[in-house]
Amino acid sequence: MTVPRVDLLIRQLDIAWALFEYHLKDLDDPACLWEPAPGCWTVRPDDGGRWVADWEVPEPDPAPVVSIGWLTWHIGFWWTTTLGHCFGSGAPEREEITWPGTAAATADWLRGLKDDWRAALLPLTDADLDSAARTAGLPWGQGQTLVDIAGWVTIELTKNVSEIGFVRHLHEAQGHEPGGPQV
């Protein structure tokens, strides 16, 4: 039996994920790679064929408009990093976390990360949730407890999913049919 706070975290994650599944339905490669504005951050193949994300340190202010491909890479980046630090032996560097190259492969990648995260949360105790030991290595988790990070994961997922939905709506408003031929 899960502890009540884990149960709440799982239910919140499941709600956010249901919204993501709605936006993943019929998501295709042209929609992922559509750039809604000049200077848009996206994902693109490098000389070796690996799909890499645009990135600058420090991030520009204001941040650039982003493509769905970039947003899905971003979800994969922070989730891979969070899982690796909180439930593994560390995470790859940002530059090593690449976009899978297609909408279908990306959906599978992100579903796998969600399933891994969900499975990692289920056995946690209240003491685990209240500890900062698992979050110490996270670039964005110093001093935060695991329950803080678990809550952040769902909020960040919800934010990114809403951005994906907005870009999809813009793409469709430009005359592109979801899952259909591109105009």
Side-chain angles (χ1 to χ4, degrees):
M1 182 169 158
T2 59
V3 298
R5 289 189 298 165
V6 168
D7 185 54
L8 176 62
L9 289 166
I10 294 293
R11 284 185 285 130
Q12 290 171 333
L13 175 66
D14 289 347
I15 291 167
W17 193 262
L19 177 61
F20 197 20
E21 286 292 345
Y22 173 80
H23 290 305
L24 284 175
K25 181 180 179 248
D26 299 324
L27 184 63
D28 59 20
D29 298 347
C32 281
L33 299 175
W34 179 69
E35 297 182 24
C40 176
W41 275 5
T42 191
V43 291
R44 60 188 94 247
D46 66 10
D47 292 338
R50 293 172 0 123
W51 285 81
V52 297
D54 295 328
W55 191 269
E56 287 180 34
V57 176
E59 186 176 289
D61 186 16
V65 172
V66 294
S67 70
I68 292 172
W70 190 93
L71 286 162
T72 56
W73 165 82
H74 186 247
I75 294 168
F77 158 69
W78 59 253
W79 227 339
T80 297
T81 303
T82 303
L83 271 163
H85 285 292
C86 293
F87 298 103
S89 58
E93 295 296 320
R94 176 184 43 80
E95 298 82 7
E96 295 174 38
I97 301 171
T98 59
W99 192 68
T102 67
T106 299
D108 290 344
W109 176 45
L110 297 177
R111 285 182 184 116
L113 289 169
K114 184 265 301 177
D115 291 345
D116 291 349
W117 180 253
R118 198 174 192 285
L121 292 178
L122 283 171
L124 295 177
T125 66
D126 282 326
D128 294 327
L129 292 173
D130 293 333
S131 173
R134 291 180 186 261
T135 63
L138 272 173
W140 49 80
Q142 295 84 5
Q144 295 188 50
T145 64
L146 187 54
V147 74
D148 293 329
I149 295 300
W152 168 83
V153 162
T154 299
I155 290 169
E156 185 70 12
L157 175 64
T158 304
K159 176 192 78 75
N160 288 155
V161 168
S162 69
E163 292 169 330
I164 288 167
F166 183 73
V167 175
R168 273 201 79 175
H169 292 312
L170 284 176
H171 184 251
E172 292 166 15
Q174 297 296 314
H176 305 281
E177 293 294 322
Q182 300 301 301
V183 179

